Amino acid sequence: MAARTSFSQYRLEAEIEKHRGECQWDKIVTLVKQFSQKVLDEDYGNLMLAEALLEQCLKENTAKLKDFTPLTEKHDPKLGEVRRYLTDILNRGNLQPKYMTEAMLILAKLHFVEGSYRDAISMHARAGIDDMSIDDEPLYHIRLLAEAYVIKGLSLERQPTSVASRVRLLERDEEVLVCFEKSCYISLVYLQELEKAFSTAQSHSKNPKSNTTAQEYELGFFLEAALQSAYVAHFKRGNIVKGLKKLRKILRAVEAKAMQNFRMTAAKQLAEVLLHTLSEDCYWNPFSNPPSDLLSKEESSALSEISCNFSRQPQLYSGDSLFCPQDSIEEALLLLLISESMANRDAVISRAPDQKDDRTVSLQDATAVYDLLCITLGRRGQYSMLSECLERATKFTFDEFHLWYQLALSMVAGGKPAFGVSVLKECARLHPTDPAVPLLAAKVCLGPLHWLEEGESFSRMVIDMGEEAGEFLAKGYLALGLAYSLQATDARLKSTQDELNKKALDTLKRAYDLAPDDHQMALYYSLQLAIVREVSMAMEHLQRALKLKQDDIRLLHLLALLLSAQKHYLHALDVINMAVAEFPEDFSLHFTKIKLEWLYKGPEEALVTCRHILYIWQTVFNSLDVSSGSEKESTVEGTLTTKPTGIFLTLPDFQDGDTSSMRLSSTAASQRASSIAASRLLQATSGASMQSASKHGPAQLWVVLEQIWLQAAELFMEQEQLSAASFCIQEAASIFPVSHNVLYMRGRLAEMKGSLEEARQLYQEALALNPEGLKIIQSLGLILNKLGRSALAEKMLQDAVQIHCTSHEAWNSLGEVLQAQGKSQSAVECFLTALDLESSSPSVPFTIIPREL
């Protein structure tokens, strides 16, 4: 009978030890209360009951523990019961030595949660934790020892320091670090052994559902503190290198499912340190040694590397196939993508009221990860990837403005403005009193999308807020005025144009009155005055804007155009040269300079500027080529093998009239049959179509190159160098073969060669692609008149002056057609109108100034 009782006691104790290792405290309480009188020794049962009750109490008060708020018996009577059990056990001393030691460790934990840090340290000294080992010890013992070390370290940190000497403080600081390092080490061992125990139990169990799984296990406060305290202590002391090494080692430890949530937190913390604290120039990868100069700046410590002489070692991931990041952004991105995956997996999607707290916590964790992703991917300009990440978050961010707004910003920056506006509409619904949201939507609509009606609607949302919009009210009027101005430019009827231009002028004046010290308000008010040909008033307001900001590129550009409208070409050239010197890579300024030089100095001087623009384009292209090439080579090997390292272009040199070869400058600067060679060179780098060009750089850059070639062709035609013009047009055609600009220039070339029917056909093809192109309509009308189709030519030019009523060229062409028909009176009126408009016409249209927020 005694043997049978002893065997029952052995089995029960073994089961209790298993539950202790797995922290299943409810089951321990049930077992102890059920069998304590029959099988278990009274003191042993009380010890198990004391530990279980204390752990239940700690689980209920986790928030207070994280704030280091002492627990009291008054608020939780369980603490008094635990104290009585442990005091009686230690006073009687009937248990085996190992259980007596466990009682001391549990009592030390009780002292700590009650705020008695000195008593906790004394109890640890009495238990002799420094002499304890984890070798061949059960799981619960390993956990107790890990918690004991972190409790001792935290207690030492919170001891009064007023009477301690500097030497004693340094010694205590070292002791704290030793405790934290050991607690972290032992915790990793415990969690990995716990994972093995769960796996073994599940594989041998006939009913797996009855067993606790690793996913159900939650890290308690002390185990989580044990994992965190070591690297946190290093960071607090300014030891960034040691803290990073410790944090990386924790993340390299073979994963245990019980610490998955902690790993997400640790990965996020490591990413924060890499992004905020560590310079990219000081980075070292996880498998190399840190720079010696960084180590020399940190605290010297004999205990900087703690050696734990245990046979049980935490297992680390190792092997040649491990990925090794090469810079801090790459490592931070890897960590954050892992964290994002875990945050998405654990997100609480249910909107049930009883899950509100869990939903709030999961949302806070996810938001922190996505904010860091915004910083990381934003540094590399990877907005498309960022928008994809944020889209995955929308499943659990219902009515959460912050992440929706981040998604909208990433979509706009990533080249998805239409989707961005859709998301901004949702943001405006969530925050109807925030004027920045509809104002941003208006900016996108008026800019890349050219959705003018939608832009007007968003602008009115800001204006309707009235005084509540604050400083954004003036911006709202500015956006509305720009919307009207752009609508006037697009309008086909003169009456509609006049009405919209008047609205734009009144609205922009209102914006200017609200913010007279904002140079942007003065700029666009002045620009609108210039568009309606109030040149003197426009110049007056522009001078005020220049006093507010002298180096704004749009102000300088508009000043040059206004001077050219007043026929002060020399002063306009001086201004544009100053602007070009300040902004050498702005091609719009260069094109205006070419036009001014053409008007003032002749086409030869303008061709020199054309050659210079080609050199600038080549420089910009090569810089983009190198930067984008290096990024792509780091991610997708072999994608750039067919791409040359650079492109070298010049205009053809036709000083000899009979020369028919084209020159491309290279290192040898050799003569070639360049029309074919240049096309092949461009095709090798950009392709012969929009689709291929977009693969090797921004499409806008190739549009600029096309404009350069066509501008050069126009200048050559002005000099009647038709072979050179033909080459330039062919070069432009190699970039965009079906461009209406290319077809138009081919028509002009054919017209100059006397092929009127071919020119008419080319003009018509160009007009089919761009039905509102003024130059195309004007040239087609004149060619039709030459071909004897005067009535159709008159109809086309009347439509042109109706749409572009301020174009003196269109009025002059209409006058020529009417004069050829013998309608002298109408022709004179057209010529007079053309003269009047020409007196205030700039070298290039005022609308070349971008109208955007």
Side-chain angles (χ1 to χ4, degrees):
M1 185 69 183
R4 187 179 305 167
T5 303
S6 177
F7 180 71
S8 301
Q9 181 177 348
Y10 171 78
R11 288 186 59 185
L12 184 57
E13 290 180 359
E15 188 173 358
I16 290 175
E17 284 188 5
K18 174 178 174 293
H19 292 326
R20 288 181 72 188
E22 298 173 355
C23 299
Q24 299 185 49
W25 307 114
D26 294 337
K27 292 184 178 181
I28 292 175
V29 172
T30 301
L31 288 173
V32 170
K33 290 184 176 180
Q34 184 176 358
F35 297 103
S36 59
Q37 299 297 328
K38 302 176 182 179
V39 180
L40 293 175
D41 179 80
E42 181 181 357
D43 283 350
Y44 177 81
N46 289 342
L47 175 62
M48 299 301 104
L49 197 57
E51 182 181 25
L53 292 174
L54 178 60
E55 294 295 339
Q56 288 176 339
C57 178
L58 298 183
K59 188 174 182 179
E60 295 168 359
N61 294 276
T62 303
K64 290 184 178 180
L65 290 175
K66 290 182 178 180
D67 294 334
F68 291 97
T69 302
L71 306 182
T72 60
E73 295 183 25
K74 180 179 179 182
H75 292 92
D76 201 325
K78 290 181 183 178
L79 297 178
E81 190 175 354
V82 171
R83 181 187 303 279
R84 286 192 298 273
Y85 284 142
L86 295 174
T87 303
D88 291 343
I89 291 169
L90 292 175
N91 288 338
R92 285 195 290 268
N94 294 332
L95 290 177
Q96 299 177 19
K98 71 171 185 176
Y99 292 130
M100 294 295 291
T101 301
E102 292 172 12
M104 296 176 194
L105 297 180
I106 297 170
L107 185 56
K109 186 187 296 186
L110 177 63
H111 287 318
F112 177 84
V113 300
E114 291 179 334
S116 302
Y117 304 125
R118 186 181 297 275
D119 292 339
I121 295 171
S122 300
M123 193 57 63
H124 283 135
R126 181 178 170 186
I129 63 172
D130 293 332
D131 299 325
M132 293 182 186
S133 172
I134 61 173
D135 300 338
D136 302 322
E137 294 291 343
L139 272 177
Y140 75 86
H141 180 84
I142 301 175
R143 176 185 55 79
L144 278 176
L145 190 56
E147 293 178 344
Y149 273 117
V150 74
I151 289 171
K152 180 180 178 181
L154 293 173
S155 299
L156 287 170
E157 275 192 330
R158 281 155 182 75
Q159 271 198 309
T161 60
S162 56
V163 297
S165 66
R166 178 175 175 81
V167 175
R168 175 57 188 149
L169 288 176
L170 289 176
E171 289 177 353
R172 191 179 71 181
D173 203 42
E174 297 289 0
E175 189 176 0
V176 168
L177 282 176
V178 171
C179 290
F180 288 158
E181 292 276 0
K182 286 186 175 181
S183 67
C184 179
Y185 179 98
I186 298 171
S187 297
L188 289 174
V189 173
Y190 166 70
L191 291 170
Q192 290 177 353
E193 293 295 328
L194 181 64
E195 179 75 13
K196 294 178 184 177
F198 280 135
S199 299
T200 303
Q202 201 164 17
S203 62
H204 289 84
S205 175
K206 295 181 180 179
N207 184 15
K209 294 183 179 180
S210 63
N211 293 324
T212 301
T213 62
Q215 290 92 331
E216 296 173 357
Y217 180 82
E218 294 183 7
L219 288 181
F221 166 76
F222 290 109
L223 275 178
E224 190 169 344
L227 293 169
Q228 288 182 331
S229 296
Y231 65 80
V232 170
H234 284 305
F235 287 144
K236 283 183 178 179
R237 290 161 174 77
N239 299 331
I240 304 300
V241 174
K242 296 172 185 175
L244 270 177
K245 289 176 66 177
K246 190 65 184 178
L247 190 46
R248 280 172 166 174
K249 187 174 182 179
I250 293 173
L251 290 171
R252 278 187 61 200
V254 173
E255 184 175 355
K257 294 178 182 177
M259 58 184 295
Q260 282 184 347
N261 291 335
F262 167 77
R263 288 176 75 89
M264 183 179 74
T265 302
K268 183 183 67 176
Q269 291 172 337
L270 178 54
E272 288 176 347
V273 174
L274 291 170
L275 294 172
H276 178 267
T277 307
L278 188 67
S279 167
E280 291 190 40
D281 297 331
C282 300
Y283 177 79
W284 76 99
N285 68 59
F287 301 112
S288 62
N289 294 321
S292 56
D293 56 334
L294 282 181
L295 284 172
S296 63
K297 295 178 183 178
E298 298 195 354
E299 297 178 1
S300 58
S301 173
L303 297 173
S304 59
E305 294 293 338
I306 306 298
S307 60
C308 300
N309 298 319
F310 302 130
S311 61
R312 286 186 176 182
Q313 300 284 333
Q315 297 176 349
L316 305 179
Y317 289 112
S318 60
D320 297 334
S321 60
L322 293 181
F323 173 76
C324 181
Q326 299 303 312
D327 57 59
S328 58
I329 299 297
E330 195 171 272
E331 183 174 354
L333 180 58
L334 175 64
L335 292 165
L336 292 172
L337 289 176
I338 294 172
S339 300
E340 188 236 352
S341 175
M342 299 173 71
N344 273 326
R345 180 200 63 195
D346 300 333
V348 179
I349 302 177
S350 172
R351 307 296 298 177
D354 58 334
Q355 294 191 355
K356 181 180 179 181
D357 293 339
D358 294 337
R359 188 169 60 250
T360 301
V361 171
S362 70
L363 181 63
Q364 289 174 348
D365 292 340
T367 301
V369 173
Y370 284 113
D371 286 346
L372 290 172
L373 272 173
C374 291
I375 296 172
T376 308
L377 293 171
R379 287 187 181 182
R380 293 295 172 89
Q382 298 293 330
Y383 299 109
S384 295
M385 184 177 182
L386 176 60
S387 64
E388 291 175 4
C389 293
L390 290 167
E391 278 186 88
R392 292 194 290 268
T394 54
K395 68 179 183 180
F396 58 88
T397 56
F398 177 73
D399 280 355
E400 294 298 333
F401 171 79
H402 177 69
L403 286 178
W404 279 90
Y405 196 51
Q406 296 281 33
L407 175 60
L409 294 175
S410 66
M411 284 184 165
V412 172
K416 302 176 182 177
F419 291 103
V421 169
S422 298
V423 179
L424 284 171
K425 287 181 181 178
E426 178 67 14
C427 294
R429 183 189 67 81
L430 295 175
H431 272 205
T433 59
D434 187 353
V437 177
L439 194 61
L440 177 59
K443 176 179 180 178
V444 178
C445 289
L446 298 179
L449 291 176
H450 203 69
W451 292 355
L452 303 184
E453 292 182 358
E454 288 81 355
E456 178 185 347
S457 175
F458 282 117
S459 304
R460 291 189 180 279
M461 289 175 63
V462 180
I463 295 173
D464 292 342
M465 295 180 188
E467 297 299 328
E468 294 181 359
E471 61 182 6
F472 291 102
L473 182 60
K475 294 283 187 181
Y477 277 105
L478 175 62
L480 182 60
L482 293 178
Y484 285 144
S485 179
L486 291 167
Q487 286 175 0
T489 302
D490 292 349
R492 298 183 62 88
L493 296 177
K494 185 178 183 303
S495 58
T496 307
Q497 291 176 1
D498 293 341
E499 180 185 355
L500 290 170
N501 277 324
K502 185 179 184 305
K503 284 184 177 180
L505 205 57
D506 293 341
T507 309
L508 290 170
K509 180 65 166 60
R510 173 63 172 156
Y512 177 67
D513 292 339
L514 287 172
D517 295 331
D518 190 333
H519 74 280
Q520 196 178 34
M521 307 297 174
L523 163 67
Y524 286 120
Y525 183 47
S526 176
L527 176 59
Q528 186 60 31
L529 287 169
I531 289 174
V532 298
R533 298 302 174 88
E534 297 287 346
V535 177
S536 298
M537 288 185 63
M539 182 66 79
E540 179 183 343
H541 285 88
L542 185 63
Q543 295 291 345
R544 297 176 186 174
L546 285 168
K547 291 179 181 179
L548 297 172
K549 191 173 179 64
Q550 297 180 357
D551 58 347
D552 186 275
I553 184 174
R554 294 164 298 178
L555 291 174
L556 295 174
H557 200 172
L558 181 56
L559 176 60
L561 295 181
L562 288 172
L563 289 170
S564 71
Q566 295 175 335
K567 310 312 172 193
H568 302 316
Y569 293 124
L570 180 58
H571 295 310
L573 265 175
D574 292 339
V575 172
I576 210 70
N577 284 327
M578 179 175 61
V580 166
E582 187 72 21
F583 306 97
E585 294 184 358
D586 187 278
F587 293 103
S588 179
L589 292 175
H590 285 286
F591 286 123
T592 301
K593 180 182 178 182
I594 289 173
K595 191 67 175 179
L596 286 170
E597 288 177 337
W598 185 358
L599 293 172
Y600 185 70
K601 297 181 179 181
E604 296 86 357
E605 193 74 21
L607 277 170
V608 174
T609 302
C610 255
R611 289 188 174 93
H612 180 60
I613 298 179
L614 274 177
Y615 171 76
I616 294 175
W617 187 94
Q618 170 187 321
T619 305
V620 173
F621 176 83
N622 288 342
S623 64
L624 290 175
D625 182 24
V626 171
S627 61
S628 63
S630 60
E631 289 179 8
K632 290 181 180 179
E633 285 173 355
S634 65
T635 55
V636 183
E637 186 177 355
T639 57
L640 302 177
T641 54
T642 62
K643 187 175 180 180
T645 56
I647 179 172
F648 300 90
L649 302 166
T650 64
L651 292 178
D653 189 358
F654 274 104
Q655 301 307 317
D656 299 329
D658 57 346
T659 304
S660 60
S661 62
M662 310 301 164
R663 181 169 63 86
L664 281 172
S665 70
S666 62
T667 54
S670 58
Q671 296 290 333
R672 304 182 184 190
S674 66
S675 182
I676 298 175
S679 297
R680 289 177 179 174
L681 180 58
L682 282 170
Q683 199 166 11
T685 55
S686 67
S689 66
M690 183 77 168
Q691 183 178 2
S692 59
S694 63
K695 294 180 181 178
H696 301 297
Q700 185 61 34
L701 191 61
W702 296 97
V703 172
V704 169
L705 182 59
E706 180 206 34
Q707 292 174 345
I708 296 172
W709 285 120
L710 294 179
Q711 181 67 76
E714 193 172 9
L715 293 170
F716 279 126
M717 281 190 282
E718 180 72 12
Q719 294 179 308
E720 297 185 354
Q721 297 185 24
L722 302 187
S723 297
S726 177
F727 164 74
C728 293
I729 294 172
Q730 187 172 353
E731 293 305 310
S734 70
I735 305 172
F736 300 114
V738 294
S739 166
H740 62 85
N741 292 318
V742 172
L743 293 171
Y744 167 71
M745 291 304 295
R746 280 180 169 169
R748 283 195 58 188
L749 184 62
E751 184 178 357
M752 291 190 71
K753 290 180 178 180
S755 303
L756 300 185
E757 190 61 35
E758 181 185 356
R760 180 194 63 80
Q761 184 177 355
L762 288 167
Y763 288 148
Q764 286 180 338
E765 290 177 4
L767 188 64
L769 295 174
N770 184 21
E772 297 183 5
L774 173 61
K775 288 186 176 181
I776 302 173
I777 298 174
Q778 179 183 335
S779 297
L780 181 58
L782 292 175
I783 205 73
L784 288 172
N785 186 53
K786 291 179 182 180
L787 291 172
R789 303 171 66 178
S790 302
L792 181 57
E794 180 184 352
K795 176 65 173 62
M796 292 196 68
L797 290 171
Q798 283 177 344
D799 291 342
V801 298
Q802 183 71 18
I803 299 173
H804 305 281
C805 57
T806 57
S807 172
H808 65 278
E809 295 99 336
W811 281 102
N812 187 71
S813 298
L814 179 59
E816 292 178 7
V817 172
L818 291 173
Q819 186 179 25
Q821 292 178 334
K823 301 177 181 179
S824 302
Q825 184 66 30
S826 299
V828 168
E829 292 178 2
C830 290
F831 288 142
L832 290 175
T833 303
L835 282 173
D836 183 56
L837 290 172
E838 195 276 335
S839 65
S840 60
S841 292
S843 56
V844 295
F846 290 115
T847 51
I848 197 174
I849 306 291
R851 286 166 284 179
E852 57 189 15
L853 292 177

